[in-house]
Amino acid sequence: MVQKTELRNNPSTQVLIAALNEEEGIGHTISEINKILKNPLILVVDGKSTDKTVEVAKKLGAQVVLQDGLGKGDALAKAIKCMDKTVDYIVITDADYTYPAEHIPLMIQVLEENPDVGMVCGNRFSGYSDLYGLNSVFYLGID
């Protein structure tokens, strides 16, 4: 089991965030990421929000690009096209402040210590006590 430690050599990281009308969560998400990762590059792909998502993201120093098509898949495809290909690690997260950024350094550490591991995925439902209180789209497939 890998224990939480400071990352060696402070690897460069870019965080990709797809967003659509996430005014309430994006500020918390970006602020927490900046605190935990010590100000990484942050790229927000906005799906034509009608609230203040873009304004909040830019105010917190994120680069913002507009999505061409529709849907999260299209937003992530745009993020990948626009990402900085010189960074050591790419983090993909949600704009709604549901994935705790505190776990990102440990996830990166797993990659650093295990060269054969290509990707680490988080699980925002781990320890969630009321899965049936969620919208059905969130617990589809959960036993």
Side-chain angles (χ1 to χ4, degrees):
M1 179 91 190
V2 178
Q3 294 189 2
K4 192 173 183 178
T5 61
E6 286 292 313
L7 293 173
R8 61 185 167 83
N9 299 328
N10 201 15
S12 61
T13 307
Q14 183 173 34
V15 180
L16 308 179
I17 305 172
L20 175 61
N21 294 324
E22 296 289 356
E23 174 183 355
E24 301 215 4
I26 191 119
H28 298 295
T29 299
I30 292 172
S31 294
E32 183 182 47
I33 289 167
N34 279 330
K35 179 182 173 190
I36 298 295
L37 295 181
K38 316 250 185 309
N39 298 309
L41 298 172
I42 296 178
L43 174 66
V44 173
V45 178
D46 183 69
K48 303 174 184 83
S49 294
T50 58
D51 64 2
K52 294 182 181 179
T53 298
V54 170
E55 181 181 323
V56 172
K58 285 182 177 180
K59 190 175 191 177
L60 291 170
Q63 176 189 1
V64 177
V65 295
L66 295 179
Q67 182 175 341
D68 299 320
L70 300 172
K72 189 167 185 176
D74 183 78
L76 292 176
K78 176 80 172 200
I80 291 167
K81 286 180 189 171
C82 296
M83 73 183 190
D84 183 331
K85 292 164 182 57
T86 66
V87 296
D88 297 314
Y89 296 101
I90 295 292
V91 174
I92 299 173
T93 193
D94 282 351
D96 61 3
Y97 197 53
T98 56
Y99 286 101
E102 68 186 273
H103 300 291
I104 296 171
L106 179 58
M107 297 167 94
I108 292 172
Q109 183 180 347
V110 168
L111 295 169
E112 292 242 309
E113 293 177 357
N114 300 282
D116 292 334
V117 173
M119 180 172 72
V120 177
C121 297
N123 175 4
R124 70 173 142 192
F125 298 116
S126 179
Y128 198 94
S129 61
D130 183 20
L131 292 176
Y132 296 102
L134 294 173
N135 182 313
S136 63
V137 72
F138 290 115
Y139 64 78
L140 181 66
I142 295 174
D143 185 26

